[in-house]
Amino acid sequence: MTSGEAKFYHQEADGKLRTVKLPIESMDCCGACSTIKGEQLKLCSGCGERLYCSSECQSVDWRVHKRSCGKTDRIDLGVYYPLLALIAEKCRMNVQTHPPDGVHFAINHQILNHPSPDPPFTTFPGGYKARPVILGDEIPLSVDMIKKWWPGAPSPKVASKLQRRILRGGNPLPINIAVCVALLSEIYTTDSSKDSKPRIRLAYKSSPIADFGIVVGDTIVQPQDRLAYYDSATGNITVDQDPHEHSWIYFTTIRGEDIFLDCGMFHFNACTCVSTKGCCPREESEMFPVVPALFYGRDMRNGVPGTPWKERGRFSVLRNENLQTAIQHTPYTLTFDDRINIWDFLETCQGDKESTIKQRKLVDLYTIAAMDAVRTSLESSEWKKFPNEVMQGIETDPAEPDYTNFTEQDWEEHLMRWQKQISQAKKEARKRRKA
């Protein structure tokens, strides 16, 4: 199957079929004479979808190429990624208000100890090292719940940051899959031959994106930046997000350059954020002024040695035939068969491990929301007005200490320090059960 000619048809609302057009995968050979010349090859200036080794070859090939050539609008990832980060953030926050299994249990239970910003981490049974969050009595959700939620917090700002770390934990894989499927569905089905509108494609700097998808692996996180929850009423220990089961998004240009986007590091206290100002409607920007995003492109690669990840595997979304089939009923819905294809891809990414009902519900919910957000930005041409320079920063708080001074404490020793609060919480839990 040749590049740009994948035969996957998708039903639109008006009954017409649309075809997924795959971009050129690499700088391999001239589209006219098939000569392999690598970096000497030039893209067609009209569409950016065909390679030539010379102007002579381009002229000879025009008779054939003019049928598919047309204007291509290229969206630069360096400008567009704040919207993708916002989509990921809205997915996380949406699941707190309309979740398949309720609000995060650590948010509606009072915190008994001091998990932030400077206590020692502990080693839990099984060898997992993290900061313990000891949970006591259940409390009702309210706008002014911060003081009741963590009475011993050093400051409201410290408590607010811990709360946002908790809310932003878990589910990185379903979120990343949803964002990628939305890009596939809403961008790579556009075609300049329809309604005289230009096709839309992703690019980085001057290079078209040739592939994108999911990376799975480890993220490098120190024990003091991990969280583990201890329910004092039941004795259960829960971990939200395992740094050894992490995922993020990769983009590869036609020249083989990799760009990475990771919106799931805030939970691990790697609080690199990006401003959403100018990248979304004003009401959304006011609600989510900054969102977590680690964008690892050329500038960061040149300025920061190494990456915070250890990659185990990559799984293309753009070139996955089952996912191309799965979006046949977009942009408005996903059939059961479509969802099975997405669930199968999720399981492939996690090493053929069977997905849970929760994961399936989440990826369904996230995918529909992500497609709607990407489609809206394209239909309104909002992306053309995005700021050329993205505002980035790292969120810290005044009480955050020097990371070189963290110490480890035995879990049993840590529990002994908080035994009084834990005993009281257990008594209150028994009273509730009897009542």
Side-chain angles (χ1 to χ4, degrees):
M1 181 170 54
T2 60
S3 175
E5 295 297 327
K7 302 297 184 181
F8 299 100
Y9 298 99
H10 308 290
Q11 190 71 32
E12 291 182 317
D14 59 4
K16 295 181 180 178
L17 296 172
R18 59 181 183 175
T19 307
V20 170
K21 297 285 187 179
L22 294 178
I24 300 172
E25 193 166 6
S26 62
M27 303 282 287
D28 49 7
C29 65
C30 175
C33 69
S34 300
T35 300
I36 300 174
K37 293 192 176 181
E39 290 298 321
Q40 297 180 31
L41 296 170
K42 303 296 182 183
L43 287 166
C44 171
S45 59
C47 65
E49 299 283 305
R50 199 158 176 85
L51 292 164
Y52 297 105
C53 65
S54 65
S55 57
E56 289 77 13
C57 275
Q58 186 171 11
S59 297
V60 170
D61 191 53
W62 177 244
R63 183 178 299 176
V64 175
H65 179 53
K66 67 180 180 181
R67 300 170 189 168
S68 59
C69 187
K71 180 174 173 52
T72 299
D73 282 344
R74 299 206 175 274
I75 302 178
D76 194 308
L77 278 174
V79 173
Y80 197 65
Y81 84 86
L83 177 65
L84 305 183
L86 174 62
I87 292 171
E89 179 76 342
K90 289 171 66 178
C91 286
R92 282 187 293 262
M93 296 302 108
N94 181 63
V95 79
Q96 301 304 325
T97 54
H98 303 286
D101 59 352
V103 72
H104 194 291
F105 66 93
I107 297 300
N108 61 359
H109 284 77
Q110 192 173 69
I111 294 180
L112 302 180
N113 65 332
H114 297 297
S116 180
D118 59 354
F121 61 88
T122 65
T123 301
F124 290 87
Y128 188 80
K129 296 182 179 182
R131 281 184 179 179
V133 181
I134 300 178
L135 303 175
D137 202 12
E138 186 174 351
I139 58 174
L141 297 175
S142 63
V143 176
D144 58 344
M145 66 175 292
I146 286 289
K147 290 184 179 179
K148 297 178 182 178
W149 177 63
W150 185 8
S155 70
K157 186 175 181 180
V158 172
S160 174
K161 182 178 178 182
L162 177 63
Q163 189 176 75
R164 283 179 285 116
R165 285 184 62 190
I166 293 172
L167 287 171
R168 288 166 172 165
N171 310 312
L173 183 56
I175 291 175
N176 290 331
I177 290 175
V179 170
C180 287
V181 170
L183 295 176
L184 172 67
S185 170
E186 306 307 316
I187 291 181
Y188 287 88
T189 55
T190 61
D191 188 356
S192 62
S193 64
K194 290 186 178 182
D195 303 322
S196 300
K197 295 180 180 179
R199 67 173 63 86
I200 301 173
R201 297 292 182 263
L202 295 174
Y204 181 64
K205 307 294 186 182
S206 61
S207 296
I209 295 300
D211 192 21
F212 61 82
I214 306 298
V215 189
V216 296
D218 299 3
T219 183
I220 302 171
V221 179
Q222 299 303 316
Q224 64 267 15
D225 291 324
R226 304 172 187 172
L227 298 176
Y229 311 101
Y230 176 77
D231 187 339
S232 60
T234 64
N236 293 332
I237 299 172
T238 306
V239 176
D240 257 349
Q241 192 168 327
D242 188 345
H244 302 299
E245 298 295 334
H246 195 57
S247 71
W248 56 102
I249 299 174
Y250 77 89
F251 300 89
T252 303
T253 71
I254 194 174
R255 293 179 172 84
E257 182 178 8
D258 284 335
I259 305 97
F260 301 108
L261 176 61
D262 191 340
C263 301
M265 293 290 285
F266 197 97
H267 179 72
F268 295 125
N269 209 29
C271 302
T272 304
C273 296
V274 63
S275 170
T276 63
K277 186 176 181 180
C279 302
C280 62
R282 180 181 297 178
E283 59 272 17
E284 289 191 0
S285 183
E286 291 175 352
M287 186 177 298
F288 304 101
V290 293
V291 293
L294 175 57
F295 185 75
Y296 191 88
R298 194 177 302 170
D299 294 339
M300 183 171 287
R301 183 180 295 107
N302 293 336
V304 180
T307 73
W309 311 288
K310 292 182 180 179
E311 182 177 327
R312 284 199 304 272
R314 293 190 185 193
F315 304 91
S316 174
V317 169
L318 177 59
R319 299 183 179 276
N320 184 289
E321 295 185 2
N322 288 335
L323 291 180
Q324 291 169 338
T325 301
I327 61 170
Q328 62 185 335
H329 296 101
T330 57
Y332 302 103
T333 187
L334 293 170
T335 69
F336 184 70
D337 287 341
D338 300 336
R339 294 175 181 185
I340 287 178
N341 280 325
I342 297 175
W343 299 343
D344 286 345
F345 180 77
L346 187 153
E347 293 178 355
T348 298
C349 290
Q350 55 189 20
D352 293 326
K353 178 183 176 182
E354 185 175 358
S355 57
T356 64
I357 294 176
K358 176 183 177 180
Q359 284 180 312
R360 295 174 183 178
K361 288 182 177 180
L362 288 177
V363 77
D364 290 350
L365 177 70
Y366 294 158
T367 299
I368 295 295
M371 289 191 298
D372 182 66
V374 173
R375 182 170 61 256
T376 298
S377 75
L378 300 181
E379 290 178 346
S380 62
S381 297
E382 289 177 359
W383 62 272
K384 295 182 179 180
K385 303 174 185 176
F386 285 5
N388 290 327
E389 292 191 11
V390 174
M391 295 175 60
Q392 303 176 74
I394 299 176
E395 181 182 349
T396 61
D397 62 68
E400 206 160 57
D402 182 351
Y403 276 15
T404 60
N405 296 324
F406 281 110
T407 57
E408 181 176 359
Q409 185 178 60
D410 181 73
W411 171 235
E412 297 297 332
E413 180 184 345
H414 190 91
L415 281 181
M416 289 294 292
R417 292 179 55 208
W418 301 98
Q419 195 60 49
K420 184 177 180 180
Q421 291 95 326
I422 294 169
S423 297
Q424 182 63 31
K426 288 183 176 179
K427 289 179 181 178
E428 292 175 357
R430 284 195 293 268
K431 289 180 180 179
R432 289 196 304 273
R433 286 195 293 269
K434 288 180 180 179

